[in-house]
Amino acid sequence: MMTKNIALATISVFIALSCFSQKNKNSNANKPNIVFILVDDLGWADLGYSGSSFYETPNIDDLAANGIVFNNAYSACPVCSPARASILTGKTPALLNLTDYLPGNRHYGPHKDQMLTSHPFATHLELNEYTLAECLKDAGYKTMMAGKWHLAEEQKYYPQFQGFDINIGGNKTGHPAAGYFSPYKNPELTDGYEGEYLTDRLTDEVIHFIEQNKKQPFFAYLSFYTVHLPMQGKPDKVKKYQQKLNTINKSNEEFVKNGKTWVKQQQNMPHFAAMVESMDENVGRILETLKRLQLDENTIVLFTSDNGGMATSNRTDNIPTSNLPLKAGKGYLYEGGIRVPLIIKNGKKYKGQICETPVSGIDYYPTLLDLANIKNRIPYDIEGVSLKPLLSKKPINERPIFWHYPHYSGGLGGTPSGAVRLGDYKLIEFYEDMHIELYNVKQDLSEEHNLVNRYPKKMQELKTLLHEWRKNVEALMPYPNPNYIAD
């Protein structure tokens, strides 16, 4: 009798485990795949659909036509490492105290050319942060990261320890150590054949990952090193854009000077255009792979950039792009530094939609979990909100979007500042002298008309919001540099 009971119990356990396994399998089968494409330093105006006539991006333009385009999408920071940390955590750089690119301009000591000295900030994304990758992995996703990490100086904080099952190429560097052609000198990426192009190689790795995991839910985080410097395009494409440049009217000024900084006024760099086109081709390869494997209807594709395009420098020979009509670029809290392209595609659900609601990089985490129906796992302390209602043409509650960049952006020319956007208005506070600029960025996209004196009540409202938020997140401020010597 006992033997029979044991046998029945064993059968019951087997049936229960089988049912659980089947239930889990069915549950996984209903989860959408996620492909997150993050481009480095790609400006809001660097794509065909957003107005560029020099760069050619037919695949991304097609993605935009078949998804939802957010015209008022923002990075969480005007430089890369903090913006990337925000994407993976749903938190602002100020809350993470990871506010500058790594290792950053560590101006704790005497720097005579800067009025303020930076406070110490985090040198890595902490392991106790519950990243988007960790959350999806815990929900049954196979996770993979290919490309730029730039969120730690030490290997123990690399992607494979932050929720990614696979790390291809992610290390401490913010740009390709040996350029875009193999050999790469990347400890997390084996060299390819001589002359292999890095953008192609990273895409090859992601396509292989998708093919290997097509029968289970996957999260592929394709973090291109391109279009960050150095400007290195494939020779045939460079030649193509050199020829195209000869057909363009060059009557406008190429640069204007703002203090010590040059601001580029034209998109006319053949190497950069070639890099953009190669990136676009590889986005097309990813989309074609999803279609070929019949995964496109059950895959969410999110395409964006980590910060605005590099349009300023203290020298003219290394400025890749122009962000016009946006003001300034990478390293600034003007629109050129923080407004970025954002497209979300989910089968045919959002085809042809355009959204004007301001959104931020901190929103991607809760949005993707919400779309994957695993929002119960969203950490309680994230600052982002789900954009899912916007995808269904429903409004979300108006809320302020905040920035805190208490650093100098080196040769780019940006200075320590903070900002807030609420509705159509954006306020920037500059920490050197705490002066305020106020713009209606809906009516004045180029931020030419400072409205501080015209709308003092609006200025005070936004200033109060910014100061209260900085206090709530315990944002650290720069402090006066006693060694500063004015010009």
Side-chain angles (χ1 to χ4, degrees):
M1 188 71 174
M2 184 178 294
T3 302
K4 182 179 179 181
N5 287 340
I6 292 173
L8 288 172
T10 302
I11 293 170
S12 296
V13 170
F14 177 77
I15 292 172
L17 288 173
S18 298
C19 290
F20 175 80
S21 178
Q22 186 62 38
K23 181 179 179 182
N24 191 54
K25 183 177 180 181
N26 292 338
S27 175
N28 280 346
N30 294 327
K31 292 176 182 174
N33 306 306
I34 299 171
V35 176
F36 195 119
I37 303 173
L38 181 63
V39 188
D40 194 3
D41 287 0
L42 183 72
W44 178 80
D46 284 344
L47 300 165
Y49 83 85
S50 60
S52 178
S53 58
F54 188 53
Y55 311 142
E56 298 178 14
T57 58
N59 295 292
I60 297 169
D61 298 345
D62 185 66
L63 179 66
N66 287 281
I68 178 170
V69 172
F70 291 81
N71 280 336
N72 288 267
Y74 290 98
S75 62
C77 188
V79 294
C80 53
S81 299
R84 291 162 183 273
S86 290
I87 287 170
L88 291 172
T89 63
K91 300 177 183 179
T92 55
L95 188 60
L96 297 168
N97 191 32
L98 205 172
T99 49
D100 203 4
Y101 72 88
L102 300 180
N105 291 308
R106 300 190 172 282
H107 296 158
Y108 309 148
H111 287 266
K112 297 180 180 180
D113 62 335
Q114 296 185 345
M115 187 181 296
L116 300 177
T117 296
S118 296
H119 62 79
F121 55 90
T123 59
H124 54 262
L125 179 61
E126 295 286 356
L127 294 178
N128 62 3
E129 292 294 339
Y130 191 53
T131 68
L132 173 60
E134 288 172 312
C135 185
L136 290 170
K137 183 176 180 178
D138 288 346
Y141 279 71
K142 187 73 173 178
T143 60
M144 182 255 201
M145 186 269 182
K148 176 174 172 174
W149 181 241
H150 204 199
L151 287 173
E153 291 292 290
E154 299 177 83
Q155 188 182 38
K156 64 181 180 180
Y157 301 107
Y158 280 9
Q160 58 266 39
F161 305 107
Q162 300 276 17
F164 290 98
D165 296 313
I166 300 169
N167 170 29
I168 304 291
N171 59 41
K172 68 179 183 179
T173 60
H175 58 83
Y180 284 93
F181 295 93
S182 185
Y184 304 117
K185 297 184 180 179
N186 183 329
E188 303 294 329
L189 179 68
T190 58
D191 288 332
Y193 59 87
E194 186 175 353
E196 179 187 61
Y197 197 59
L198 179 59
T199 309
D200 297 339
R201 169 64 180 282
L202 295 176
T203 305
D204 290 342
E205 298 286 355
V206 171
I207 289 174
H208 178 71
F209 169 79
I210 292 172
E211 290 172 338
Q212 293 295 307
N213 295 279
K214 62 186 177 183
K215 294 184 179 179
Q216 63 177 313
F218 59 78
F219 171 48
Y221 182 57
L222 176 51
S223 178
F224 285 121
Y225 279 95
T226 202
V227 290
H228 194 289
L229 295 179
M231 281 186 276
Q232 292 179 348
K234 293 182 179 180
D236 60 326
K237 295 188 186 301
V238 174
K239 182 178 180 180
K240 167 186 170 180
Y241 285 100
Q242 287 172 336
Q243 293 172 344
K244 185 174 183 177
L245 190 60
N246 294 331
T247 69
I248 294 177
N249 184 347
K250 305 180 185 66
S251 59
N252 297 329
E253 285 185 284
E254 185 174 3
F255 303 98
V256 297
K257 199 166 189 181
N258 181 16
K260 297 179 181 179
T261 307
W262 294 95
V263 184
K264 195 168 180 63
Q265 305 292 293
Q266 297 176 13
Q267 295 181 343
N268 62 1
M269 300 296 284
H271 270 280
F272 186 78
M275 294 170 72
V276 171
E277 182 175 318
S278 288
M279 179 272 296
D280 177 79
E281 285 181 348
N282 282 288
V283 170
R285 292 177 62 209
I286 296 292
L287 299 175
E288 180 55 37
T289 297
L290 295 173
K291 186 176 181 180
R292 171 172 56 84
L293 298 176
Q294 298 183 341
L295 298 173
D296 54 324
E297 290 301 311
N298 191 42
T299 301
I300 299 165
V301 179
L302 191 154
F303 175 92
T304 191
S305 175
D306 59 349
N307 48 250
M310 181 181 166
T312 67
S313 180
N314 54 11
R315 39 187 271 212
T316 60
D317 62 331
N318 71 332
I319 308 179
T321 194
S322 169
N323 293 320
L324 293 180
L326 305 186
K327 187 174 182 177
K330 177 181 179 180
Y332 293 77
L333 292 182
Y334 291 118
E335 294 292 283
I338 53 177
R339 192 180 286 219
V340 293
L342 172 61
I343 305 167
I344 300 178
K345 181 181 180 294
N346 189 1
K348 297 184 177 67
K349 294 179 181 178
Y350 321 132
K351 184 175 182 178
Q353 287 184 214
I354 296 176
C355 181
E356 301 293 345
T357 302
V359 302
S360 170
I362 62 175
D363 299 329
Y364 305 152
Y365 189 149
T367 300
L368 291 172
L369 295 188
D370 201 357
L371 291 174
N373 296 314
I374 50 177
K375 58 184 177 181
N376 60 309
R377 294 179 177 271
I378 299 175
Y380 74 93
D381 58 344
I382 71 168
E383 296 171 276
V385 301
S386 174
L387 306 178
K388 187 176 179 179
L390 296 175
L391 306 180
S392 301
K393 300 182 180 181
K394 297 176 183 178
I396 59 174
N397 293 332
E398 187 174 75
R399 43 76 194 248
I401 297 175
F402 297 101
W403 294 268
H404 179 61
Y405 185 59
H407 308 283
Y408 292 89
S409 61
L412 300 175
T415 59
S417 52
V420 55
R421 176 170 176 178
L422 180 63
D424 296 339
Y425 289 90
K426 180 176 139 197
L427 176 144
I428 308 174
E429 184 174 50
F430 294 87
Y431 297 156
E432 286 186 331
D433 58 6
M434 303 306 284
H435 85 269
I436 299 288
E437 295 178 11
L438 177 69
Y439 300 99
N440 183 321
V441 290
K442 181 178 180 180
Q443 296 178 358
D444 180 19
L445 187 61
S446 300
E447 295 171 292
E448 294 178 341
H449 307 290
N450 185 0
L451 303 175
V452 164
N453 294 328
R454 187 172 179 182
Y455 298 119
K457 289 185 178 180
K458 176 60 69 174
M459 182 273 290
Q460 190 58 51
E461 174 195 357
L462 295 186
K463 181 180 176 181
T464 299
L465 279 175
L466 180 60
H467 286 197
E468 288 179 348
W469 171 77
R470 283 207 303 257
K471 182 179 179 180
N472 290 339
V473 299
E474 299 181 347
L476 298 181
M477 297 290 286
Y479 49 91
N481 179 5
N483 298 289
Y484 173 69
I485 298 176
D487 290 337

